Amino acid sequence: MNVICYSSFTFGYLNRARVLFASVKRFHPDWHCVALITDVPPAGFQWRDDESIDEIVYAKDLEIENFESWLFKLDVIEVCTAVKGPYLLQACKGKADAVIYLDPDTCLFNALDPLIEELQHSEIIVTPHQIYPDKERSAIIDNEITSLKTGIYNLGFLAVRTSGEGQRMAQWWNDRLLEFCHDDIPNGLFVDQRWCDHIPSFFDNVKILKDPGYNVASWNLSHRTVDIGRDGVAHVNGVPLRFWHFTKLGPLGDIMTKRYALDNFPVYELWAWYRDQVVLATGTDVPHGYWAFGFYEDGAAISKDQRVLYRHRKDLQKAFPNPFASGEGTLQSWLANEGLA
């Protein structure tokens, strides 16, 4: 099966994406790895000779209508999830038999051959955040209630066949994410994830993957025990660890991991290994937290409030088709005059 594996990120997350793609190539050297980047390379940036990336696609080349205006309406998390739909639709119309999406902060620890086998029968595969109900009240709040807010399925992973229901789902997802990929939990939206709660209802041949070895993360450690054998192979609840979702690398991720991993020490070993790999993949030519579209042309930061205002004001979108511009007669100038800058 001809497989595309893609991930969506900015240059600020390139170090994590390098770890991901290296792990993909370790187990699946024949997969076509695509970096989907919504960003502009920093000054002086150079791609490494040993990148495990086969193709680089910049979001500006996805033929999104009024790209600058569209992008300005979204923050960095929203836009990196929003472009996943347009690229998936494009890939489904190409020569690949299957497309797999993985977040840049995921990493493979075993081959994903069972996924490819499943795609012989299913056309869409999703993974739930949790596959077992919690019992402790704190865990119910942290995990089950949070999933009710952010979506039942974790869209750090998605697999589709590129024909039939897979392509039909890609078209629907493309359309929804282009207009409604917002972090707006009070109004029922959490970027791409809440939309995908509809998938089992809207489409046929959907596989809800409940294997505990997939998408292991802090939000499901209360029911997953990790062990590493003498051969170095990691297992979860007795089955191979396929991939880990190392979300929130830093203090918050540490807090949630410790809360639920407790004395399951292999969990901390995997985290320590991952941190080391990210450090090795970090270059000095990408400033920490870099995202070119976080600023106006003059270097002033764009606030989330300014993006949301522009999102809801059709008159501003019409008057300022390039909202990133600086100087007289620009959105930035208008906001300053209105006391909103």
Side-chain angles (χ1 to χ4, degrees):
M1 183 175 280
N2 184 9
V3 178
I4 289 176
C5 178
Y6 79 107
S7 189
S8 177
F9 54 93
T10 66
F11 278 99
Y13 258 63
L14 175 60
N15 51 5
R16 294 163 175 80
R18 281 172 168 156
V19 178
L20 163 65
F21 286 129
S23 73
V24 172
K25 286 297 188 181
R26 175 188 174 193
F27 296 105
H28 301 284
D30 57 328
W31 286 11
H32 187 73
C33 289
V34 176
L36 174 58
I37 303 177
T38 309
D39 211 344
V40 175
F45 174 78
Q46 295 289 329
W47 289 100
R48 295 181 176 181
D49 293 334
D50 62 346
E51 301 281 3
S52 300
I53 298 171
D54 298 303
E55 183 181 0
I56 299 162
V57 175
Y58 288 99
K60 66 180 178 62
D61 297 323
L62 290 176
E63 299 182 355
I64 296 172
E65 187 175 358
N66 302 320
F67 179 72
E68 288 82 7
S69 177
W70 174 81
L71 192 157
F72 189 91
K73 302 171 192 174
L74 308 173
D75 66 22
V76 64
I77 296 174
E78 292 171 336
V79 78
C80 283
T81 47
V83 296
K84 289 160 58 176
Y87 178 78
L88 177 62
L89 180 60
Q90 174 182 298
C92 283
K93 294 179 178 179
K95 297 181 179 179
D97 301 305
V99 181
I100 294 174
Y101 174 80
L102 289 166
D103 264 357
D105 53 4
T106 56
C107 183
L108 272 61
F109 289 90
N110 274 289
L112 301 186
D113 293 336
L115 280 181
I116 303 306
E117 294 174 12
E118 182 60 43
L119 283 171
Q120 305 294 332
H121 313 285
S122 304
E123 296 180 73
I124 304 167
I125 304 177
V126 292
T127 54
H129 281 97
Q130 291 93 33
I131 57 175
Y132 309 104
D134 279 303
K135 296 181 180 179
E136 298 292 332
R137 188 175 187 275
S138 59
I140 293 170
I141 293 171
D142 281 344
N143 301 324
E144 294 185 19
I145 292 180
T146 296
S147 290
L148 291 175
K149 296 176 181 178
T150 62
I152 299 300
Y153 307 105
N154 181 264
L155 267 293
F157 160 81
L158 176 71
V160 302
R161 272 208 333 250
T162 57
S163 59
E165 291 293 87
Q167 186 169 137
R168 197 164 73 87
M169 178 266 172
Q171 180 68 66
W172 166 81
W173 205 36
N174 167 81
D175 297 346
R176 296 298 176 270
L177 297 190
L178 283 177
E179 186 171 359
F180 299 109
C181 189
H182 303 149
D183 183 356
D184 187 6
I185 290 175
N187 286 308
L189 296 175
F190 182 67
V191 290
D192 58 342
Q193 288 190 171
R194 286 302 308 275
W195 284 111
C196 288
D197 288 352
H198 287 302
I199 285 178
S201 300
F202 286 175
F203 305 100
D204 295 324
N205 295 333
V206 176
K207 172 68 175 181
I208 299 173
L209 185 62
K210 297 183 181 181
D211 186 318
Y214 292 81
N215 232 342
V216 183
S218 60
W219 53 74
N220 52 44
L221 281 175
S222 57
H223 290 284
R224 303 194 193 196
T225 301
V226 180
D227 65 86
I228 302 175
R230 292 184 178 181
D231 57 0
V233 177
H235 288 77
V236 181
N237 294 2
V239 301
L241 168 59
R242 299 295 175 181
F243 66 89
W244 194 289
H245 199 152
F246 291 98
T247 188
K248 295 180 173 62
L249 179 63
L252 182 57
D254 291 344
I255 290 170
M256 294 302 293
T257 297
K258 290 176 182 177
R259 181 177 298 176
Y260 293 110
L262 300 175
D263 61 352
N264 188 192
F265 297 114
V267 170
Y268 306 109
E269 292 180 35
L270 290 172
W271 265 103
W273 173 87
Y274 182 72
R275 286 192 182 89
D276 289 343
Q277 297 305 303
V278 170
V279 169
L280 291 172
T282 303
T284 58
D285 52 0
V286 178
H288 179 72
Y290 175 87
W291 185 43
F293 296 113
F295 305 90
Y296 293 101
E297 286 179 355
D298 66 359
I302 302 168
S303 72
K304 179 65 177 284
D305 288 343
Q306 291 168 356
R307 293 182 187 275
V308 173
L309 176 66
Y310 186 78
R311 177 191 303 169
H312 292 297
R313 291 279 299 270
K314 299 294 185 182
D315 58 329
L316 296 181
Q317 296 168 31
K318 183 177 180 180
F320 307 109
N322 180 11
F324 293 96
S326 296
E328 187 176 350
T330 64
L331 173 67
Q332 184 185 22
S333 175
W334 182 88
L335 290 168
N337 292 332
E338 294 294 320
L340 301 172

